[in-house]
Amino acid sequence: MGNQDTKVRGIAARAGGWSARHRWAAVGIWVLFVVLAMGIGSAAGTVKVKDSDQLAGETRTAAQLVEDAGIDEPAGESVLIQARDGSLKATDAEFKDAVAAVVKAVEGTGKVTDVTSPYDTNTISKDGRSVLVQFDMRGDSDTAGDRVEPVLKAVAGVGKDHSSLRIEEIGGASMMKTFDDAFGDDFQQAEYSALPVALGILLIAFGALVAALLPVALAMTAIMATMGLMSIVSNLQPMDDTASSVMLLVGLAVGVDYCLFYLRREREERAAGRDPETALRIAAATSGRAVIVSGVTVCVAMAGMLFTGLATFEAMGLASLMVVAVAMVGSVTVLPALLSLLGERVEKGRIPFLHPDKRRKKAGGRRAHEGSRFWSAVLKVVLARPAVALVVAAGALLAIAAPAVGMKTQNLTLDQEFGDALPIVQTYNRLNEAFPGGSDPAEMIVKADDINSAEVKAALQEFKERAVGSGASRGPVEIKLHDAQNIAYVYVPLVGGSDLDKAGASLDKLRDEVRPATLGKVDGVQAPITGQVAGSKDFNDQLGGAVAPVFAFVVVFAFLLMLLSFRSLTIAITSIVLNLLSVGAAYGILVAVFQHGWGASLVGAEGVGAIVTWLPLFLFVILFGLSMDYHVFVVSRIREAKLRGRTTNDAIHHGVVTTAGVVTSAAVIMVAVFAIFGTLSMQSMKQMGVGLAAAVLIDATIIRGVLLPAVMALLGERNWYLPKWLHRLPDLTHDEPPAPVAPTARDDEGERLTV
């Protein structure tokens, strides 16, 4: 270890060496860090993202006005009473009896307030066959779903007594309860099942229980520590449940990957005849360095979310960045210490027929460095005809990516998100048909110095009339005053209903024509318009404006990191292009399946017709980061082989084939975990799972197994090109000189034969 030939260079090698020499100290520091992070985080508590911070544009302004006024808007509910055929009208006695019975029943529960009759509020459909009884739930709107069941039962009881009428309840509280009952555990079960799936694949990959448990243990401790750090950091950047879920996904993926890369290299070096100390040092200097380069690149990609200006995205980016950083540090510090402590015991708990030694014997004693037979055969074809391989693979990926050109993004409506399997979704559609926009009205929050002044009241009345007269709404437009706070809520059902394009046009009329002509003339009045349609539009506008800066930040910084880490302009450029190609292919698959419906029945995605707004940018950041894992790992191995004297083609073959096993194992874990989310009921989660799984699969096979070697083979020595004017850049390569190995029998390629 001390001689000049084997001098350790680079932070990863130094960290690994220190940890191996101070094993118990390294493990103790890691455990102390995890415990302290969780303890301090628990004591500090988690600051949640406020409603106003999650929104953008006018919807954020409206939410801020409501928060500043201290108004807790109750959860509103409606009971749709509708004739099952054309024989009954709202003016008939039976209809009126049903309305009176509903009003009496819901008031009798003691759970509601402000019950209004449709005959007082004129909430009667144009055809006279449908009416709405409206009321608010008592108490906190966030927990209204827990208290709505008695009201639902009361309404259902009235429905049984009036069989000629359809009597159904819908609203914030009833939808909350319905979806919690149907899908409440959906996401949580997916998160829980991800861990045993990953462990099962690792057992197959390593064939030994202890070796399989190490990556899972590292990932879980990294996730636990990050949960504590998230609580601490939330005092500066508020967090939410979405950020926690994304952190868990990313933490499991990279935590397992980094440990897998490190552990497989250490085992490989021992199988090649290195002593345990040398094998660990080489793993630290090679795979450890690749982990740091990959980890920093992933952190940079995740940091791109901080440029969106949306609190939920900022929370996701920061949480993901932290878990990657923690997993990276754990991989190059505590992992070498654990491997040094365990020694040969890392092979404990061998599983018959799965352990690599058993598989090699069954295969007739293959060489330790021979790598994957399948990928060796693929590489033989690719390297023999690299131009053909490049054209075929790139053409296939471009064809897969082609549908992405016509991508349509929007916030999914209720029926798009959940389909029509639930009765409440059918109620939602019926209500929208009878009262266009009634289920999701636009809400104008009017703040004035004196909300009851004659000028403001006249402007409100004029707005109400013009909203209907302009064609933006068919009414009824409701006004609810909060005198003490000098705030008025104006509810405007939008023409277009659940058709977001038509409803968006109605919203534009309100914002651009009706409001300026009425409330816009009154000094000192604020009147932002919010609601589901407005929120969707403002969110899209904010996200659309963030695409360019996020894209530029991620691509430029990833390029610079690759340039500094490999000292090659060519490698930096090709890595960016290949990653963009894999992201494009993922977009194409998403559009083909969820927008055009090709093969949608296979994943339960019929009739969605759009991609959820936040997904493309989210996928770009996550995939660009995760795909760097494989790229850095494979290219590092190719560069290492090249520096040890191999020809470029031989180095490519060696690098890809010897990393194929670990890249395949890592990819299978990611694909399996992401695929679990593709089975969830919510279309947004299904789209996320399918997009991530497809992209990782493409990246680990077509990109790393065909395109990367084909491109590098065609470029030859130009792979390592660095212009003279860039030689002044910092050198972050930290190449590790080859370690001596005990003399042994060798084949014609210089590889040790397995005895």
Side-chain angles (χ1 to χ4, degrees):
M1 288 284 288
N3 64 44
Q4 187 67 27
D5 291 334
T6 59
K7 183 181 178 182
V8 174
R9 299 175 61 203
I11 189 171
R14 290 198 298 272
W18 184 91
S19 295
R21 291 191 303 273
H22 305 86
R23 301 175 295 187
W24 286 110
V27 174
I29 291 170
W30 178 256
V31 172
L32 183 63
F33 163 66
V34 174
V35 170
L36 281 177
M38 292 180 67
I40 296 172
S42 178
T46 302
V47 178
K48 295 285 187 179
V49 174
K50 294 190 295 185
D51 287 345
S52 57
D53 292 332
Q54 294 185 51
L55 307 170
E58 287 195 29
T59 47
R60 173 177 288 181
T61 306
Q64 193 66 57
L65 286 175
V66 172
E67 282 179 10
D68 292 346
I71 298 172
D72 183 16
E73 189 178 7
E77 290 285 297
S78 298
V79 176
L80 175 67
I81 304 175
Q82 191 173 66
R84 293 186 181 276
D85 53 43
S87 59
L88 282 176
K89 297 283 187 180
T91 52
D92 294 336
E94 186 177 348
F95 219 112
K96 290 183 176 180
D97 288 344
V99 169
V102 167
V103 170
K104 182 180 179 182
V106 297
E107 284 181 336
T109 63
K111 304 288 184 182
V112 307
T113 183
D114 293 336
V115 183
T116 59
S117 166
Y119 303 111
D120 297 330
T121 57
N122 196 32
T123 46
I124 302 172
S125 65
K126 196 172 183 181
D127 63 4
R129 294 179 57 248
S130 306
V131 302
L132 289 179
V133 174
Q134 296 172 305
F135 54 89
D136 294 329
M137 293 295 300
R138 293 185 184 275
D140 185 0
S141 59
D142 291 336
T143 58
D146 300 332
R147 303 186 301 277
V148 76
E149 188 167 3
V151 186
L152 289 169
K153 286 182 177 178
V155 171
V158 177
K160 288 179 182 177
D161 297 336
H162 296 79
S163 57
S164 59
L165 296 169
R166 183 182 288 116
I167 300 177
E168 301 169 326
E169 182 176 344
I170 188 170
S174 49
M175 285 195 285
M176 194 186 305
K177 175 176 169 49
T178 302
F179 297 138
D180 280 349
D181 290 348
F183 312 118
D185 298 330
D186 217 6
F187 199 85
Q188 200 172 42
Q189 285 172 359
E191 290 177 344
Y192 289 155
S193 58
L195 198 60
V197 166
L199 181 59
I201 296 167
L202 287 168
L203 283 171
I204 296 171
F206 286 119
L209 183 60
V210 173
L213 283 171
L214 270 182
V216 173
L218 178 75
M220 290 311 297
T221 52
I223 288 168
M224 289 161 63
T226 307
M227 284 179 177
L229 294 177
M230 283 174 66
S231 294
I232 298 168
V233 172
S234 71
N235 290 277
L236 300 173
Q237 167 61 58
M239 294 289 170
D240 64 5
D241 294 337
T242 306
S244 298
S245 297
V246 171
M247 183 277 291
L248 189 146
L249 266 182
V250 173
L252 186 60
V254 299
V256 168
D257 274 11
Y258 293 163
C259 193
L260 195 58
F261 295 162
Y262 208 109
L263 186 52
R264 282 291 283 265
R265 185 59 186 266
E266 191 267 350
R267 290 179 96 192
E268 183 184 313
E269 294 300 329
R270 283 197 291 115
R274 318 283 186 194
D275 62 85
E277 185 180 5
T278 304
L280 191 54
R281 181 179 62 75
I282 293 173
T286 54
S287 288
R289 176 187 170 276
V291 163
I292 288 180
V293 174
S294 171
V296 172
T297 310
V298 177
C299 286
V300 166
M302 300 305 174
M305 292 196 208
L306 302 177
F307 292 86
T308 59
L310 294 164
T312 298
F313 267 74
E314 291 169 354
M316 285 194 294
L318 196 54
S320 302
L321 185 156
M322 287 192 294
V323 79
V324 172
V326 171
M328 176 183 70
V329 170
S331 298
V332 297
T333 56
V334 73
L335 184 57
L338 289 171
L339 290 175
S340 180
L341 277 169
L342 289 168
E344 294 294 331
R345 286 171 293 185
V346 77
E347 305 288 354
K348 286 281 187 184
R350 292 190 178 199
I351 300 169
F353 309 112
L354 287 181
H355 195 273
D357 289 350
K358 297 285 185 185
R359 292 197 290 256
R360 276 197 291 271
K361 286 178 182 176
K362 191 174 180 182
R366 284 159 48 198
R367 289 167 292 163
H369 286 202
E370 188 180 48
S372 163
R373 283 183 167 183
F374 171 78
W375 285 112
S376 186
V378 171
L379 261 291
K380 186 176 180 181
V381 175
V382 170
L383 296 178
R385 297 282 188 275
V388 174
L390 174 63
V391 170
V392 172
L397 287 183
L398 287 172
I400 294 171
V405 174
M407 182 186 289
K408 176 187 176 183
T409 61
Q410 67 177 58
N411 284 352
L412 301 183
T413 58
L414 198 66
D415 51 341
Q416 285 177 314
E417 185 75 89
F418 296 102
D420 57 2
L422 294 178
I424 202 164
V425 176
Q426 297 165 23
T427 304
Y428 172 85
N429 291 332
R430 280 192 281 265
L431 194 154
N432 264 315
E433 189 177 343
F435 300 92
S439 58
D440 297 306
E443 298 177 27
M444 185 169 67
I445 311 299
V446 181
K447 170 68 175 173
D449 294 332
D450 181 5
I451 201 69
N452 287 305
S453 71
E455 189 179 16
V456 173
K457 282 193 168 184
L460 284 172
Q461 184 60 34
E462 188 180 359
F463 176 89
K464 185 175 177 179
E465 292 167 0
R466 287 205 182 200
V468 176
S470 68
S473 174
R474 291 181 190 149
V477 177
E478 297 178 59
I479 299 175
K480 184 184 289 187
L481 296 176
H482 293 269
D483 298 333
Q485 293 88 1
N486 281 311
I487 279 181
Y489 280 74
V490 183
Y491 299 95
V492 188
L494 294 173
V495 168
S498 57
D499 184 329
L500 293 184
D501 291 335
K502 291 180 180 178
S506 299
L507 174 71
D508 289 340
K509 277 186 184 178
L510 290 182
R511 284 180 167 179
D512 301 336
E513 298 173 21
V514 179
R515 181 178 56 188
T518 55
L519 290 155
K521 295 178 179 178
V522 183
D523 292 336
V525 168
Q526 287 178 273
I529 298 177
T530 183
Q532 183 177 336
V533 176
S536 177
K537 183 181 186 305
D538 292 344
F539 183 86
N540 287 352
D541 291 346
Q542 176 74 29
L543 208 56
V547 168
V550 171
F551 185 94
F553 175 84
V554 172
V555 169
V556 168
F557 272 82
F559 171 82
L560 290 174
L561 281 169
M562 296 299 285
L563 180 64
L564 295 175
S565 300
F566 290 101
R567 301 282 292 177
S568 165
L569 185 63
T570 312
I571 293 294
I573 292 171
T574 54
S575 66
I576 298 299
V577 172
L578 291 178
N579 278 350
L580 290 176
L581 196 53
S582 98
V583 172
Y587 284 174
I589 289 172
L590 276 175
V591 172
V593 174
F594 293 95
Q595 187 172 317
H596 298 320
W598 303 342
S601 59
L602 299 176
V603 292
E606 299 96 331
V608 180
I611 308 302
V612 65
T613 304
W614 54 265
L615 190 60
L617 188 62
F618 173 82
L619 277 185
F620 169 75
V621 172
I622 296 289
L623 292 176
F624 207 89
L626 293 182
S627 62
M628 278 297 182
D629 272 358
Y630 306 143
H631 194 84
V632 169
F633 191 62
V634 176
V635 175
S636 293
R637 199 62 181 269
I638 293 171
R639 187 175 189 276
E640 181 187 337
K642 176 67 178 170
L643 290 173
R644 293 188 178 191
R646 291 178 183 259
T647 64
T648 297
N649 270 22
D650 192 25
I652 293 168
H653 184 279
H654 175 81
V656 174
V657 170
T658 53
T659 56
V662 66
V663 168
T664 301
S665 299
V668 168
I669 290 170
M670 279 205 206
V671 170
V673 169
F674 294 146
I676 291 171
F677 288 83
T679 64
L680 300 187
S681 306
M682 293 176 64
Q683 288 297 328
S684 53
M685 292 297 102
K686 196 184 290 288
Q687 289 182 10
M688 182 188 79
V690 170
L692 287 171
V696 170
L697 187 61
I698 288 170
D699 198 78
T701 53
I702 300 175
I703 300 285
R704 308 301 156 209
V706 180
L707 267 181
L708 175 64
V711 169
M712 293 189 76
L714 287 170
L715 289 169
E717 291 302 314
R718 286 167 293 187
N719 281 300
W720 322 111
Y721 170 69
L722 185 71
K724 286 184 179 179
W725 59 276
L726 289 177
H727 285 190
R728 296 178 182 177
L729 290 172
D731 185 352
L732 301 183
T733 52
H734 298 306
D735 301 312
E736 179 69 5
V741 65
T744 184
R746 293 179 182 275
D747 67 350
D748 57 351
E749 289 182 7
E751 300 288 10
R752 180 181 183 273
L753 294 177
T754 304
V755 202

